[in-house]
Amino acid sequence: MAARTAGVHYPRSTGEFLAWFATDDDCLDYLEWLRWPDGFVCPACTHAGGWRLGDGRLWCSGCGERTSVTAGTIFDKTRTPLTVWFMACWLFATQKDGVSAQSLQRTLEIGSYQTAWAMLHRLRSVLVRPGRERLAGRVEVDETYIGGDEPGLRGGRQKGKKTLVAIGVEVREPKGLGRCRMAIVADGSAASLHAFVSGGVEPGATVVTDAWMGYTGIEGLGYARERHSQRAARLRGDDPHALLPGVHRVASLAKRWLLGTHQGSVDEAHLQAYLDEFVFRFNRRGSRSRGLVFHRVLELAVGHGPVRYRDLVADPQPKKHPPAGRPGCGHPPTLDRLPAGRPWRAA
């Protein structure tokens, strides 16, 4: 990915953000540049080049297909103004702990809680990039129940009302943590845990686990296993939680985030989406610019297919009217624009 410059490719501050994206046309302009940085490429036939129509849509000079900037993205057929979408993205990306749907509704004066909730879930749906790099090096892996201990259950992996989540985190030498992965697993069986490890950890890595039998056999998947027994640690008088400090720290931070930002009101059906958001934030905790994170969220959003309300909830009300097309040219505000009337062709 080409290097991005603050103040040129993304805003450096909230004041600059407000100046850049004062109207829907400004927002559409930026989305077009993100989607086609080298000029319009037809999503239907991949032909480079076309013409802008009077209604703001783009006409492919190869196949004659007409498309809009937002078609085929998470903004497809949205009724919410793009200025509201962009402010939601800015708050989502730049606030350290994110934003809840209730807070977003109040801050942006959105008409309904459901609209704010759906906007945030659409943003969460784009955060997992297809083909993203797996964890590498020395990786701690363990599981935790989200929601705390459940009375009446013996042991840490017995199935109950809580949700079992597998966690993997890179451990750096001499200290520090790298990237993490979190995923809901059906149970603590070898089938579930092996699938999590193989899906999230690069073969050849050293996987550090406790003595749970569910991890037995991961050596056959191409990993070196380092096994630590919590029972043996207790017999020695050591703290068993100190055996996998990285995983326990990530689990603690995730639970604190869910309780703090979202007051713990996270439905199990949507928990994975919240975990994806936490992982996205954790893996970018060292980013030098929150504006760059905003840029990345929008970049993922225009590269992701539409996410309908019916995909998020059961029995939704269908949308009746598509939004009208809007004019615009595809460049961030600080870059030179092409003269009006020029055909769109790849550079």
Side-chain angles (χ1 to χ4, degrees):
M1 184 172 59
R4 299 304 187 194
T5 304
V8 176
H9 299 99
Y10 57 87
R12 291 167 292 194
S13 64
T14 300
E16 194 165 69
F17 166 85
L18 295 173
W20 279 29
F21 306 116
T23 68
D24 277 4
D25 288 346
D26 294 334
C27 300
L28 198 68
D29 191 38
Y30 192 74
L31 290 180
E32 186 170 331
W33 170 72
L34 286 176
R35 189 172 185 183
W36 300 302
D38 297 320
F40 172 66
V41 177
C42 178
C45 70
T46 68
H47 175 79
W51 300 87
R52 186 178 303 283
L53 302 176
D55 61 2
R57 291 183 298 168
L58 297 167
W59 177 79
C60 175
S61 59
C63 67
E65 186 73 16
R66 301 180 181 188
T67 188
S68 68
V69 174
T70 57
T73 74
I74 68 164
F75 306 108
D76 190 14
K77 298 182 180 180
T78 181
R79 296 181 184 179
T80 304
L82 286 178
T83 51
V84 177
W85 264 110
F86 268 53
M87 179 54 77
C89 290
W90 182 258
L91 295 174
F92 180 85
T94 59
Q95 292 194 13
K96 180 181 177 182
D97 295 321
V99 59
S100 67
Q102 187 176 61
S103 177
L104 185 69
Q105 181 193 8
R106 291 174 177 174
T107 302
L108 302 186
E109 299 182 351
I110 296 173
S112 70
Y113 173 84
Q114 288 76 13
T115 298
W117 179 89
M119 290 175 70
L120 291 176
H121 268 287
R122 284 187 173 97
L123 293 177
R124 293 183 185 109
S125 69
V126 311
L127 299 180
V128 179
R129 177 174 55 85
R132 63 181 179 177
E133 296 80 6
R134 289 181 285 184
L135 306 181
R138 182 180 173 87
V139 181
E140 291 183 6
V141 177
D142 201 4
E143 322 92 67
T144 187
Y145 273 104
I146 296 293
D149 297 331
E150 186 171 348
L153 290 182
R154 296 181 58 190
R157 295 176 173 88
Q158 290 198 28
K159 187 173 180 60
K161 296 179 182 178
K162 306 302 180 184
T163 304
L164 187 63
V165 174
I167 305 172
V169 59
E170 294 172 335
V171 181
R172 293 174 176 169
E173 297 294 341
K175 63 178 182 179
L177 302 178
R179 299 167 297 152
C180 77
R181 294 284 185 268
M182 301 181 74
I184 295 173
V185 291
D187 49 42
S189 66
S192 297
L193 297 178
H194 285 196
F196 172 76
V197 172
S198 60
V201 183
E202 192 71 27
T206 298
V207 178
V208 185
T209 73
D210 57 17
W212 178 246
M213 294 299 293
Y215 295 106
T216 301
I218 63 172
E219 297 89 346
L221 301 177
Y223 303 99
R225 184 187 178 191
E226 186 176 311
R227 179 177 175 275
H228 295 273
S229 172
Q230 294 187 1
R231 178 178 297 179
R234 291 190 183 95
L235 292 175
R236 294 194 304 267
D238 297 333
D239 180 7
H241 292 290
L243 299 178
L244 300 170
V247 162
H248 293 149
R249 181 180 179 186
V250 170
S252 177
L253 290 172
K255 293 176 182 180
R256 190 184 308 169
W257 175 74
L258 289 171
L259 288 172
T261 300
H262 303 286
Q263 289 77 52
S265 57
V266 175
D267 189 273
E268 181 180 0
H270 302 290
L271 176 59
Q272 185 61 58
Y274 288 95
L275 296 178
D276 291 340
E277 179 185 348
F278 174 82
V279 168
F280 181 85
R281 295 184 182 284
F282 183 87
N283 291 348
R284 288 161 179 79
R285 64 195 183 279
S287 176
R288 295 173 296 175
S289 170
R290 305 313 296 175
L292 182 58
V293 179
F294 162 79
H295 170 88
R296 184 57 177 152
V297 171
L298 283 180
E299 195 172 43
L300 291 170
V302 297
H304 194 281
V307 179
R308 307 300 184 197
Y309 190 71
R310 61 176 173 269
D311 299 327
L312 301 176
V313 297
D315 300 324
Q317 294 295 321
K319 298 181 181 296
K320 297 180 180 179
H321 304 291
R326 302 179 180 91
C329 298
H331 298 277
T334 53
L335 297 185
D336 294 334
R337 302 175 185 272
L338 289 175
R342 284 282 299 279
W344 281 92
R345 303 188 185 280

